Amino acid sequence: MTHSPLLRSDQTLFRDPDVFELTFVPEHLHHRDAQVKELAFLISPALRGGSALSAVLRGPPGTGKTTTVRRIFREVREETKKIVPAYVNCRHDHTLLAVHRSIFTQVVGYAPPSSGRYLDEIKQGIATRLHDHDAALVVCLDDADDLIVAGTYNTLLYQILRLYEKWDVRKAGVFAVTSNLDLNLGAEADPSVWSVFHPTEITFLPYSRTEIREILADRAQQGLYPRVVPKPLLDRIAGIAAGEQDIRIGIDLLRAAVLLAEKDGRRRVTHADVTAAARAVTAPALRNRAAGLSEAERALACWIAERSHDGADMASGTVFEAAQEYLPVGKTTYHEHLNALTRAGIVDLVPQKGRGREVRLRYDAGDVAAACSSPDRTCETPNSTCEIPN
Ligand SMILES: Nc1ncnc2c1ncn2[C@@H]1O[C@H](COP(=O)(O)OP(=O)(O)OP(=O)(O)O)[C@@H](O)[C@H]1O
Ligand SMILES: [Mg+2]
């Protein structure tokens, strides 16, 4: 690279663009030691000629469940032939045949012949291979809630966990994964499955802002040339991702901001790049949040956005008084709506010294106005358009 501040058109800021792909499995898995240890413990009996144990992995989206399993499976594959891991993406494969075909491909090393359309043939192919190599099977059913929707969850667990009854193989271990916190994959198992399942619960808690910061810094180091993203900007990106409780937003944002700088021929990401990238990356999240609000709450959000955009005083009491002119709501209703906006993650109420709380938007004011306006109510002129229905 030259020392010129501008990039030549054939130069890039990405040392390795794959690092920002969602399927990328990072070299170092931060803050998941406990989960890795637990999974390794469950697999370990299979190393000694026994059977792997089963688990249910549960945690909100983006907490590293898939990555943790993929990491462990990769290590197992590199270290031993005595255990055969099979990773099934149940979003793609949720029929009995599709899941077994996926397992077959990973166990045997090639896809089952198209003539092998019958489930029993495929199961036999899996079992024969395991038997011949005296290997134990460990299956990860990722996003297993799709199996419940498809009505195949119990049958699949039954067939995988009881493979040993029909063929002379060791009992398989199953890791069932879900990000649906309302779903208890253990309790969804029928009694006939439960007697061979007994899963250990492994929980994946959301990452803190500091943890997200570390993961992103690591990603930047691996995927970008040095000094492309200044530290304060990495902090800002981590803050946005932590606010959204979604590390994927952080990774996307990092990539998008760097692409903007690159497109502009600059060697360094600026605040403006992050602001522009954040708009694009967080727009879908913001739309989802707005969709959960009532019409009246959206009207208030819309009005707050305009006020904030105009640089007006945002102390909660002042906002209420000013709102009186346009929005016919009492103080109690105003506070209820404001709390709804806080719960939805659209505004924060920040305590101010001696003057109550300040209403602060989490997103760009223009984006909030766009997400909260409805076709028959635009946000441009408050007194004519932002009316709150009673
Ligand atoms: N501890 C970590 N260290 C490094 N990268 C991580 C870590 N946890 C998650 N990531 C990254 O964050 C992204 C999301 O992680 P992952 O896909 O494992 O989450 P998940 O819990 O399976 O989410 P979902 O429930 O939505 O499937 C991936 O790109 C992954 O590489
Ligand atoms: Mg996942």
Side-chain angles (χ1 to χ4, degrees):
M1 274 204 185
T2 69
H3 291 290
S4 142
L6 288 181
L7 283 175
R8 287 199 319 260
S9 61
D10 61 339
Q11 288 181 319
T12 173
L13 300 176
F14 291 93
R15 197 205 297 264
D16 179 1
D18 290 347
V19 161
F20 298 94
E21 293 300 324
L22 287 178
T23 47
F24 178 76
V25 180
E27 205 44 54
H28 187 74
L29 199 56
H30 293 274
H31 312 292
R32 289 300 177 235
D33 293 352
Q35 289 82 355
V36 168
K37 237 189 196 157
E38 186 78 55
L39 288 172
F41 171 78
L42 297 174
I43 292 176
S44 62
L47 275 176
R48 300 187 294 270
S51 304
L53 299 165
S54 294
V56 163
L57 282 61
R58 198 142 73 123
T63 47
K65 302 179 296 296
T66 300
T67 310
T68 303
V69 172
R70 282 197 172 279
R71 268 302 299 269
I72 293 250
F73 277 14
R74 189 166 77 190
E75 263 172 53
V76 166
R77 245 178 255 120
E78 283 166 4
E79 267 173 36
T80 178
K81 295 264 177 287
K82 291 288 154 212
I83 302 172
V84 182
Y87 170 87
V88 181
N89 179 339
C90 302
R91 292 252 182 280
H92 294 153
D93 297 323
H94 39 253
T95 65
L96 299 185
L97 194 60
V99 170
H100 278 96
R101 285 183 70 94
S102 169
I103 296 173
F104 180 103
T105 306
Q106 295 174 70
V107 170
V108 179
Y110 52 83
S114 45
S115 63
R117 277 174 296 120
Y118 301 104
L119 198 52
D120 255 359
E121 283 174 48
I122 293 175
K123 278 197 268 183
Q124 182 157 15
I126 297 170
T128 306
R129 180 63 162 234
L130 292 173
H131 175 83
D132 291 351
H133 291 75
D134 187 27
L137 177 65
V138 183
V139 177
C140 170
L141 300 174
D142 201 359
D143 295 314
D145 30 321
D146 275 27
L147 300 179
I148 293 184
V149 176
T152 49
Y153 179 67
N154 272 292
T155 314
L156 269 169
L157 281 182
Y158 190 96
Q159 296 187 345
I160 297 169
L161 289 164
R162 289 178 182 262
L163 200 65
Y164 74 97
E165 288 182 341
K166 189 158 173 196
W167 285 281
D168 182 22
V169 291
R170 284 191 262 154
K171 189 171 152 248
V174 172
F175 300 157
V177 184
T178 183
S179 58
N180 180 349
L181 301 181
D182 297 329
L183 189 66
N184 183 340
L185 283 175
E188 291 289 331
D190 286 345
S192 61
V193 167
W194 185 257
S195 61
V196 282
F197 191 32
H198 298 304
T200 299
E201 274 251 3
I202 305 181
T203 306
F204 289 69
L205 295 176
Y207 296 117
S208 69
R209 181 188 173 135
T210 320
E211 289 170 342
I212 290 181
R213 168 80 171 72
E214 266 178 69
I215 292 170
L216 292 178
D218 203 44
R219 232 15 106 89
Q221 208 193 351
Q222 279 187 72
L224 304 171
Y225 286 106
R227 293 181 297 282
V228 169
V229 184
K231 283 197 169 76
L233 289 186
L234 207 54
D235 286 340
R236 191 175 155 208
I237 294 172
I240 295 171
E244 296 291 335
Q245 294 234 334
D246 191 344
I247 183 142
R248 287 193 182 101
I249 289 202
I251 295 171
D252 283 351
L253 198 48
L254 193 55
R255 179 200 354 224
V258 175
L259 278 173
L260 286 176
E262 193 177 88
K263 205 167 135 202
D264 214 21
R266 285 177 279 108
R267 289 179 181 281
R268 216 146 290 162
V269 169
T270 62
H271 266 293
D273 293 329
V274 176
T275 305
R279 290 183 87 149
V281 170
T282 59
L286 177 56
R287 269 200 305 276
N288 278 342
R289 283 162 193 238
L293 297 173
S294 72
E295 182 73 7
E297 289 155 358
R298 277 206 298 276
L300 179 62
C302 198
W303 189 78
I304 287 174
E306 281 170 55
R307 196 175 158 80
S308 160
H309 180 260
D310 294 344
D313 184 354
M314 295 305 290
S316 172
T318 318
V319 171
F320 170 68
E321 279 161 29
Q324 290 305 286
E325 268 185 58
Y326 308 113
L327 309 171
V329 289
K331 202 161 195 162
T332 315
T333 314
Y334 166 73
H335 280 292
E336 278 168 11
H337 289 348
L338 205 52
N339 284 334
L341 298 184
T342 318
R343 279 196 305 276
I346 291 179
V347 306
D348 288 316
L349 297 175
V350 187
Q352 298 291 293
K353 246 191 207 150
R355 53 190 297 261
R357 294 178 299 172
E358 182 194 319
V359 183
R360 198 178 288 170
L361 288 175
R362 277 220 192 156
Y363 298 88
D364 175 82
D367 293 347
V368 172
C372 293
S373 58
S374 56
D376 51 338
R377 172 175 50 71
T378 61
C379 280
E380 280 153 12
T381 47
N383 44 0
S384 64
T385 50
C386 261
E387 280 169 23
I388 289 191
N390 282 313

